[in-house]
């Protein structure tokens, strides 16, 4: 405050006076004056109570938006920081963050940019399969620095199929056909192994995935329904199978069991190769669901948590075609039809999936994160399908479990919460989905439970829970002998516009539980 301003303020308050000289009018006569009354002392003011410091408001979460695409049977490959997915009907899309996707190709037509006129390049394949479209492909970069596109076509109502490979210098093509590798469905004729083709034991040569094992050897796994899933060792110099293998080694399925979409992922964390497949049918009423088995070697045998050799899992030939009951008890079921209810304060459409499946996976060696990429349909939306990505984790039993919500990096969360989920963060109310073990078009609804601070589980499910450190959780559910071992994480709940505590757990019966915390 300026000095002049201070003086004016003090004068206005009666605290600043001007002193006068002499005795009033210059008179010599003394003037009598009455004595002044002493001022009454004032009571000192009570000091004001200091204000309580305001608690800083929690930072507001910026809504996360997604750019979605429809690519059926998405097979992922990463090139120079960009993720590509290639799918059926020669569809393809790309993303730099697994959240926002851009479609770059679609349709097995002469104008598709992935090929210089695919109708001519793959004429032999279309003619053999008696089809005008392509099924689920896979793309891999081999040692020569070029990209190998493993394509296939199928008649659809029979296993008459052809599988081949095309090559390009760029991931986005154009690809040039190299050759057809395998054919199937040749009724009354010899197949690749020299015996008369038999659809209940020989493969339908579709849905390839080509991968390297930890020793850098190259393999191709493939197959759908019919005789099941097979694996071949490949020549990395040519991208073709090593000679003398026929159709390769049988790993899973047979007798037209509804099993397809095989994909193998090696985990340096656990030392296992994980074989992902989809059981059931792909359409909205088909009950597609994702299952996994594991092996210490890339070509099997693959087993589930019960130790069942998946090569023995097949339909019963004495039962009607596509006998699901014989295969449903086997494999670890990661996800199937489900829907989370909206909790108080949540908005939008209740999230859930219908017939999620035909997945691929990706392991990031830099961040040590696992991702599962798949297509799914949605409750009440018919055959509309889109790509979804979820983070995966390896539980303490060495099995992969998938996060309940689609992937959004935790770096997008307001306030940068810790990736470590402490025991104190876990207690609260949850929406719980039990994926069961069945192959059913029924949509499993979430149930309300509470994980109490004292370790009790209450609500629609009862039992106990234990925080085991390192983001691990165990749930013992009343009425179920096998304990569910899971992983805690913070995932983005679109309907709440918040990153919330979740758990993904699985037991030795092959049943998965998904839990998402609601409220505070």
């Amino acid at each position: 405050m300026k000095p002049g301003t201070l003086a004016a303020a003090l004068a206005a308050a009666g605290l600043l006076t001007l002193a006068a000289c002499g005795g009033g009018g210059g008179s010599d006569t003394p003037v009598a004056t009455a004595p002044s009354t002493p001022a009454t002392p004032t009571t000192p003011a009570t000091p004001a109570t200091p204000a309580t410091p305001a608690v800083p408001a929690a930072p507001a979460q910026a809504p996360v938006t997604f750019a979605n695409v429809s690519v059926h049977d998405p097979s992922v490959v990463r090139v120079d920081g960009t993720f590509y997915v290639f799918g059926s009907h020669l569809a393809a899309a790309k993303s730099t963050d697994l959240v926002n996707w851009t479609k770059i190709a679609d349709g097995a037509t002469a104008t598709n940019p992935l090929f210089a006129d695919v109708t001519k390049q793959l004429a032999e394949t279309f003619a053999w399969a008696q089809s005008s479209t392509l099924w689920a492909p896979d793309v891999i970069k081999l040692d020569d620095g070029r990209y190998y596109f493993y394509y296939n076509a199928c008649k659809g109502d029979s296993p008459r199929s052809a599988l081949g490979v095309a090559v390009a210098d760029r991931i986005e093509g154009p690809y040039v056909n190299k050759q057809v590798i395998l054919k199937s469905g040749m009724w009354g004729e010899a197949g690749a192994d020299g015996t008369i083709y038999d659809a209940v034991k020989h493969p339908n040569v579709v849905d390839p995935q080509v991968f390297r094992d930890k020793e850098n050897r190259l393999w191709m796994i493939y197959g759908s329904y019919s005789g099941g899933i097979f694996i071949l060792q490949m020549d990395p110099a040519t991208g073709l199978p090593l000679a003398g293998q026929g159709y390769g080694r049988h790993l899973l399925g047979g007798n037209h069991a509804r099993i397809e979409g095989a994909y193998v992922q090696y985990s340096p964390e656990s030392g296992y190769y994980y074989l992902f497949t989809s059981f059931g049918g792909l359409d909205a009423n088909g009950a597609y669901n994702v299952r996994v088995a594991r092996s210490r070697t890339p070509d099997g045998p693959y087993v589930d948590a019960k130790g069942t050799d998946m090569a023995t899992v097949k339909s019963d030939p004495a039962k009607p075609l596509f006998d699901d009951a014989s295969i449903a008890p086997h494999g670890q079921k990661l996800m199937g039809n489900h829907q989370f209810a909206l909790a108080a304060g949540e908005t939008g459409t209740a999230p859930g999936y219908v017939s999620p499946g035909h997945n691929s996976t990706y392991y990031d060696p830099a961040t040590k994160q696992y991702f599962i990429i798949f297509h799914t349909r949605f409750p009440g939306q018919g055959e509309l399908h889109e790509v979804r990505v979820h983070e995966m984790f390896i539980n303490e039993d060495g099995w992969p479990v998938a996060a309940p919500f689609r992937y959004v990096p935790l770096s997008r969360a307001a306030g940068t919460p810790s990736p470590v989920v402490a025991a104190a963060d876990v207690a609260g109310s949850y929406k719980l989905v039990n994926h069961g073990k069945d192959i059913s078009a029924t949509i499993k609804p979430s149930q309300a439970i509470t994980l109490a601070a004292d370790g009790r589980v209450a609500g629609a499910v009862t039992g106990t829970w234990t925080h085991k450190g390192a983001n691990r959780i165990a749930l013992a559910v009343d009425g179920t002998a096998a304990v569910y071992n899971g992983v805690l994480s913070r995932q983005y709940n679109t309907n709440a516009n918040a990153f919330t505590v979740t758990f993904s757990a699985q037991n030795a019966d092959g049943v998965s539980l998904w839990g998402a915390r609601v409220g505070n």
Side-chain angles (χ1 to χ4, degrees), residues 255 315-327:
N255 296 330
S315 292
D316 184 343
K319 293 183 178 179
L321 194 65
F322 307 143
D323 158 42
D324 287 341
S326 295
I327 64 174

Side-chain angles (χ1 to χ4, degrees), residues 277-419:
T277 53
S278 293
F279 282 33
L282 62 85
D283 64 357
N285 294 317
Y288 236 23
N289 61 97
V290 178
R291 305 207 180 198
V292 66
R294 69 187 183 189
S295 175
R296 291 295 186 185
T297 54
D299 57 344
Y302 285 87
V303 299
D304 61 14
K306 295 288 191 182
T308 301
D309 184 345
M310 299 302 283
T312 67
V313 176
K314 56 187 70 179
S315 292
D316 184 343
K319 293 183 178 179
L321 194 65
F322 307 143
D323 158 42
D324 287 341
S326 295
I327 64 174
H330 307 292
Q332 306 298 108
K333 185 177 177 182
L334 264 65
M335 70 176 82
N337 290 5
H338 71 279
Q339 188 168 32
F340 283 105
L342 291 180
E346 295 182 349
T347 60
T349 302
Y353 294 154
V354 170
S355 291
H358 204 125
N359 70 281
S360 56
T361 62
Y362 178 76
Y363 173 71
D364 188 328
T367 65
K368 296 181 170 50
Q369 289 175 288
Y370 300 85
F371 299 96
I372 181 168
I373 300 96
F374 56 97
H375 73 252
T376 185
R377 289 158 174 78
F378 305 94
Q381 297 189 46
E383 298 304 325
L384 169 71
H385 60 85
E386 291 178 344
V387 173
R388 288 293 181 268
V389 180
H390 286 224
E391 193 169 0
M392 286 195 306
F393 311 94
I394 306 297
N395 74 3
E396 71 171 40
D397 297 323
W399 289 104
V401 292
F405 296 137
R406 67 186 302 186
Y407 173 69
V408 176
L410 191 58
S411 61
R412 299 280 296 272
T416 59
S418 171

Side-chain angles (χ1 to χ4, degrees), residues 266-285:
Y266 176 69
S267 167
E269 177 182 347
S270 68
Y272 282 107
Y273 294 88
Y274 295 103
L275 169 57
F276 296 83
T277 53
S278 293
F279 282 33
L282 62 85
D283 64 357
N285 294 317

Side-chain angles (χ1 to χ4, degrees), residues 212-232:
R212 292 181 178 86
D213 65 18
K214 65 179 180 179
E215 309 298 337
N216 209 35
R217 293 175 298 179
L218 196 67
W219 303 85
M220 181 175 74
I221 192 167
Y222 70 98
S224 168
Y225 288 45
S226 300
I229 306 300
F230 286 70
I231 191 167
L232 286 161

